[in-house]
Amino acid sequence: RSADEATLRLLRNYDWPGNVRELENTLERAIIVADDDCWQVDPTWLTPERMAAKRAVTRSPAWAFSMPH
């Protein structure tokens, strides 16, 4: 099985805040629901809230993540 180009772009550009488990679950879902040998990820599976949270974190100052002494 293979993925289409749009899916590969989507997978590369998403931050995967749920880490490897989220990626694994998304790939598993795409393969299970595929009608043929080319599987796709529905963009609605990757929520805008998660993408917005990633943007907020990357814009936060470094001191916001420092550990107290």
Side-chain angles (χ1 to χ4, degrees):
R1 294 187 169 198
S2 63
D4 67 1
E5 282 300 314
T7 291
L8 293 176
R9 270 192 309 279
L10 184 64
L11 295 174
R12 279 188 218 111
N13 292 328
Y14 189 64
D15 185 52
W16 301 105
N19 214 325
V20 175
R21 287 184 185 160
E22 183 181 7
L23 173 59
E24 180 181 28
N25 290 338
T26 301
L27 295 176
E28 210 172 273
R29 182 178 185 182
I31 292 168
I32 289 169
V33 301
D35 291 333
D36 54 26
D37 286 338
C38 186
W39 52 270
Q40 301 173 3
V41 170
D42 185 330
T44 62
W45 298 348
L46 309 177
T47 64
E49 294 83 19
R50 289 181 178 162
M51 295 177 101
K54 188 269 184 195
R55 285 190 298 272
V57 167
T58 58
R59 286 190 219 134
S60 297
W63 55 264
F65 300 102
S66 61
M67 298 289 290
H69 293 87

